[in-house]
Amino acid sequence: MAKWGEGDPRWIVEERADATNVNNWHWTERDVSAWSSDRLRQLLLSIRVEGPEGVCLMTEVSKLDGEASINNRKGKLFFFYEWQLKASWLGTSVGGVKYRGTVEVSNLSDENDEDDLDINVSLCKDQPNTPLLDLMKRTGVKEVRRVLTKYVQDLKSEFSQGMILPTADGKDPSVPAKAKRNLVKTRTQITPSQKSLSSPTQTSTGVLIPTCGFNLQESFRTSAEELYETFINQEFVQVFTRLPAAVDSRKGGKFWHLDGSVHGEFTELVPHQRIHMKWRFRTWPSEHFAAVSLELEDHGDETELRMECRGVPAGQEGSTEEGWKRFYFNAIKQAFGY
């Protein structure tokens, strides 16, 4: 765990002029809006409901306005949050017909209980009536309420630790042993030959971070058409990752892979030839995405895939490259025999 006020752009601390807060007497505040935004998106995009009418899942969070903060007064914690959100859902009927709709919540705040949330589900204006709307109102609303409650629980559990400020002797709180073990486990060793630093990228928190990139090339024993569909078809993605996924396969459409560990947005789709996307792993700095391009070249009995990835946070290119090989390329070959 980083020392108080160091190494984590989420923390904003209001201190006295001498930078002390003896025995936690004075009011301090931490802005956790960026963390909250990421967590809300992750939870909402994990929603999937199924019934006799078909299947519905969240594909995009188009609006997330609000803020969240934690205050410490005389050693007591106060959590403040207020959000308005709008998400899109995609439903597929038992007959294979797709429908699109939205979910809106206008009053997620510390002043309202779980049962007081106003959750409005509707179809997009150009969509005909469908039983899938009833499924979303019946089951989808419960799931939205559940994940928003989970957000509040995670907010309190994530930030309750380490909230007590340094005492009069100037010592920082010690890091729990469990947290120390977790830090060691997640370190990635990168050799000098792996590093390819590019210009620093500015995150949503206003912090410049150094980034890097890598290139990969792989051959698949299938057509470019089938390989293209494998990457943009939700059912195929769930098959080769063996985990829940959501994929809106159109330009500007959002995707969510590996049970929320990865998400992003398609920026360009050229059928059977090219896939460009913004892509991020959930532990990266808030709202920071890498630019990934997949170029497909059909050679008849096999397809050559050339991948370029730019904007990976420095120090994580090794694990990111290995993740693409293991959880995408090798997994596709094992699942489909390509």
Side-chain angles (χ1 to χ4, degrees):
M1 180 180 293
K3 292 183 179 180
W4 178 259
E6 296 179 0
D8 192 341
R10 295 179 300 181
W11 307 123
I12 296 177
V13 184
E14 297 175 359
E15 298 177 325
R16 290 189 339 197
D18 59 359
T20 62
N21 189 13
V22 178
N23 297 323
N24 303 280
W25 182 260
H26 297 280
W27 187 279
T28 62
E29 177 178 305
R30 297 185 181 186
D31 184 350
V32 294
S33 300
W35 177 91
S36 293
S37 179
D38 279 349
R39 186 58 177 149
L40 283 167
R41 289 180 189 276
Q42 179 186 356
L43 288 169
L44 289 167
L45 291 175
S46 71
I47 293 177
R48 181 180 187 275
V49 296
E50 186 172 355
E53 303 89 342
V55 179
C56 297
L57 50 87
M58 293 292 191
T59 59
E60 178 186 9
V61 179
S62 57
K63 175 183 177 182
L64 196 52
D65 296 335
E67 59 184 355
S69 62
I70 306 173
N71 292 274
N72 177 2
R73 173 68 171 173
K74 300 180 182 179
K76 293 183 179 180
L77 301 182
F78 300 87
F79 296 84
F80 299 102
Y81 53 91
E82 185 173 5
W83 296 97
Q84 294 182 345
L85 60 91
K86 182 178 181 180
S88 300
W89 58 269
L90 175 67
T92 306
S93 69
V94 290
V97 181
K98 297 187 182 298
Y99 299 85
R100 299 184 185 278
T102 60
V103 175
E104 295 187 68
V105 182
S106 60
N107 65 336
L108 175 61
S109 79
D110 55 276
E111 297 180 353
N112 296 319
D113 294 330
E114 170 189 349
D115 297 332
D116 296 329
L117 294 176
D118 293 329
I119 304 174
N120 181 46
V121 179
S122 61
L123 284 166
C124 293
K125 292 182 179 180
D126 60 343
Q127 300 291 292
N129 195 27
T130 169
L132 292 171
L133 179 60
D134 296 329
L135 173 63
M136 282 297 295
K137 288 183 175 180
R138 183 179 69 250
T139 308
V141 167
K142 293 180 181 178
E143 281 297 291
V144 172
R145 199 180 304 276
R146 180 187 66 81
V147 300
L148 295 182
T149 301
K150 181 71 164 60
Y151 154 71
V152 176
Q153 294 170 346
D154 291 350
L155 173 68
K156 294 180 179 179
S157 63
E158 176 79 9
F159 294 98
S160 291
Q161 298 295 326
M163 274 297 297
I164 304 302
L165 301 179
T167 56
D169 59 9
K171 294 182 179 179
D172 289 327
S174 60
V175 179
K178 182 177 180 181
K180 290 181 179 179
R181 289 198 298 272
N182 288 340
L183 286 174
V184 172
K185 289 180 180 178
T186 57
R187 286 176 183 162
T188 303
Q189 298 297 327
I190 305 296
T191 62
S193 61
Q194 290 176 301
K195 294 182 179 179
S196 177
L197 295 180
S198 58
S199 300
T201 300
Q202 188 167 7
T203 67
S204 64
T205 57
V207 178
L208 288 173
I209 64 171
T211 61
C212 52
F214 59 88
N215 297 326
L216 292 175
Q217 186 170 323
E218 194 74 30
S219 294
F220 296 84
R221 293 179 295 180
T222 187
S223 66
E225 179 179 358
E226 289 183 337
L227 186 58
Y228 177 86
E229 290 296 325
T230 301
F231 280 100
I232 70 165
N233 183 289
Q234 179 172 305
E235 293 182 2
F236 289 172
V237 172
Q238 291 184 135
V239 168
F240 75 75
T241 62
R242 301 182 182 181
L243 287 169
V247 181
D248 184 1
S249 54
R250 55 180 176 168
K251 183 178 179 180
K254 302 295 194 301
F255 60 82
W256 170 81
H257 296 167
L258 298 167
D259 200 19
S261 294
V262 166
H263 72 273
E265 176 183 336
F266 294 116
T267 56
E268 182 181 4
L269 293 173
V270 179
H272 318 152
Q273 297 180 31
R274 182 180 307 115
I275 301 172
H276 289 183
M277 67 187 88
K278 297 193 301 182
W279 186 98
R280 66 173 268 110
F281 193 69
R282 65 183 173 189
T283 60
W284 288 4
S286 177
E287 297 299 319
H288 178 80
F289 289 83
V292 174
S293 69
L294 304 178
E295 302 287 338
L296 310 181
E297 186 173 343
D298 199 326
H299 295 292
D301 57 345
E302 68 176 20
T303 298
E304 180 181 313
L305 182 152
R306 295 187 300 275
M307 173 187 176
E308 181 177 303
C309 183
R310 295 291 178 266
V312 178
Q316 299 192 40
E317 65 273 28
S319 58
T320 303
E321 180 177 341
E322 180 61 30
W324 268 90
K325 291 178 180 178
R326 176 181 177 185
F327 296 108
Y328 286 91
F329 299 166
N330 293 343
I332 287 173
K333 292 182 176 182
Q334 291 174 2
F336 302 111
Y338 294 166

